[in-house]
Amino acid sequence: MSKPDVEAIFGAFAAADPDPKGELDHSNPFTLLVAVVLSAQATDAGVNKATPALFALADTPEKMVALGPAAIEDKIKTIGLFRNKAKNVHALSQALVERFNSEVPRTREALESLPGVGRKTANVVLNIAFRQPTIAVDTHLFRVANRTGLAPGATPLAVEQGLLKIVPGPFLLHAHHWLILHGRYVCKARKPECWRCPIRDWCRFEPKTPAPKAA
């Protein structure tokens, strides 16, 4: 995709939503980290229903360690894979206390050393908590990057690296959120809503989905 088209796409996103936000509820970097770990193979809405009760009891690594895996399980049992996630949340909390002075680290390498934290989770935390210009590739962003022609790639890492090469600097901080939210609410998997898409003029997807007929 040409540089002018890429700039036009992100300019359109910025005009429509100048300050996009992530949809996982959190109060500090630690609760964000936990929420992102819990969101793997689960919806943000589902995580947000479970975490208020959990975070009311444990919003720091020390409190989460004290809570213990069984109690964490009980608070998140509505979330998929909750048993394994409870173990990871407890273990990563313990690691934060023992290795990072109870602070969420600000580097990808350190974050990925924590139980249950992969590259995507680390990128989300770096972007939202510490405002670093990272791009976390989830299924929505992966679809949008390939479908639109922005940054085609066979793997999430390839898409991430492709986007980092082409996204103009002024748009890099928010690119991650614009693309994820666009995939979640407009460029949907089964039937993209092209008729209301702010970037349809530059998108390579064809044929564009027509607007539904009025009843």
Short mmCIF file of all heavy atoms in Angstrom, two decimals, residues 2 13 24 88 92 103 154 163 189 205 208 212:
data_model
loop_
_atom_site.label_atom_id
_atom_site.label_comp_id
_atom_site.label_asym_id
_atom_site.label_seq_id
_atom_site.Cartn_x
_atom_site.Cartn_y
_atom_site.Cartn_z
N SER A 2 0.48 2.27 -0.76
CA SER A 2 1.30 3.47 -0.89
C SER A 2 1.33 4.27 0.41
O SER A 2 0.41 4.20 1.22
CB SER A 2 0.77 4.35 -2.01
OG SER A 2 -0.48 4.92 -1.64
N PHE A 13 -8.81 7.46 10.79
CA PHE A 13 -9.03 6.91 12.13
C PHE A 13 -8.91 8.00 13.19
O PHE A 13 -9.71 8.08 14.12
CB PHE A 13 -8.01 5.80 12.42
CG PHE A 13 -8.31 4.48 11.77
CD1 PHE A 13 -7.28 3.70 11.25
CD2 PHE A 13 -9.60 3.98 11.71
CE1 PHE A 13 -7.53 2.46 10.67
CE2 PHE A 13 -9.87 2.75 11.13
CZ PHE A 13 -8.84 1.99 10.60
N LEU A 24 -10.56 -2.95 28.42
CA LEU A 24 -10.42 -3.73 29.65
C LEU A 24 -10.36 -2.79 30.85
O LEU A 24 -9.55 -1.87 30.89
CB LEU A 24 -9.16 -4.58 29.61
CG LEU A 24 -9.19 -5.81 28.70
CD1 LEU A 24 -7.80 -6.41 28.58
CD2 LEU A 24 -10.18 -6.84 29.22
N ASN A 88 -1.56 -18.80 36.55
CA ASN A 88 -0.64 -17.82 35.96
C ASN A 88 -0.70 -16.48 36.67
O ASN A 88 0.34 -15.85 36.91
CB ASN A 88 -0.96 -17.64 34.48
CG ASN A 88 -0.43 -18.77 33.62
OD1 ASN A 88 0.53 -19.45 34.00
ND2 ASN A 88 -1.05 -19.00 32.48
N LEU A 92 2.53 -15.01 38.30
CA LEU A 92 3.13 -13.74 37.83
C LEU A 92 3.15 -12.71 38.95
O LEU A 92 4.09 -11.89 39.04
CB LEU A 92 2.41 -13.23 36.59
CG LEU A 92 1.02 -12.59 36.67
CD1 LEU A 92 1.07 -11.12 37.04
CD2 LEU A 92 0.31 -12.73 35.31
N GLU A 103 6.64 -4.12 41.09
CA GLU A 103 6.31 -3.18 40.01
C GLU A 103 6.21 -3.93 38.68
O GLU A 103 6.98 -4.85 38.41
CB GLU A 103 7.40 -2.11 39.89
CG GLU A 103 7.55 -1.22 41.11
CD GLU A 103 6.39 -0.25 41.26
OE1 GLU A 103 5.78 0.10 40.23
OE2 GLU A 103 6.11 0.16 42.40
N ALA A 154 1.54 -13.60 7.25
CA ALA A 154 1.04 -14.94 7.57
C ALA A 154 0.99 -15.20 9.07
O ALA A 154 0.33 -16.13 9.52
CB ALA A 154 1.91 -15.99 6.88
N LEU A 163 3.46 -3.43 10.18
CA LEU A 163 2.82 -2.19 10.59
C LEU A 163 3.83 -1.20 11.17
O LEU A 163 3.76 0.00 10.91
CB LEU A 163 1.71 -2.48 11.61
CG LEU A 163 0.44 -3.11 11.04
CD1 LEU A 163 -0.46 -3.62 12.16
CD2 LEU A 163 -0.32 -2.11 10.16
N ALA A 189 -15.52 -10.18 11.19
CA ALA A 189 -14.99 -11.37 10.53
C ALA A 189 -15.92 -11.90 9.44
O ALA A 189 -15.51 -12.10 8.30
CB ALA A 189 -14.72 -12.45 11.57
N PHE A 205 -10.05 -4.49 0.12
CA PHE A 205 -11.02 -5.58 0.18
C PHE A 205 -12.10 -5.39 -0.88
O PHE A 205 -12.70 -4.32 -1.00
CB PHE A 205 -11.66 -5.63 1.56
CG PHE A 205 -12.74 -6.67 1.70
CD1 PHE A 205 -12.43 -8.02 1.73
CD2 PHE A 205 -14.08 -6.31 1.82
CE1 PHE A 205 -13.42 -8.99 1.87
CE2 PHE A 205 -15.08 -7.26 1.97
CZ PHE A 205 -14.74 -8.60 1.99
N LYS A 208 -16.84 -4.79 -1.80
CA LYS A 208 -17.29 -4.14 -0.58
C LYS A 208 -18.71 -4.61 -0.23
O LYS A 208 -19.54 -4.79 -1.11
CB LYS A 208 -17.29 -2.61 -0.75
CG LYS A 208 -15.91 -2.00 -1.05
CD LYS A 208 -15.02 -2.01 0.16
CE LYS A 208 -13.79 -1.13 -0.01
NZ LYS A 208 -12.82 -1.64 -0.98
N PRO A 212 -27.28 -2.91 4.26
CA PRO A 212 -28.49 -3.76 4.27
C PRO A 212 -29.70 -2.99 3.75
O PRO A 212 -29.81 -1.77 3.95
CB PRO A 212 -28.65 -4.11 5.76
CG PRO A 212 -27.89 -3.06 6.50
CD PRO A 212 -26.77 -2.63 5.61
#
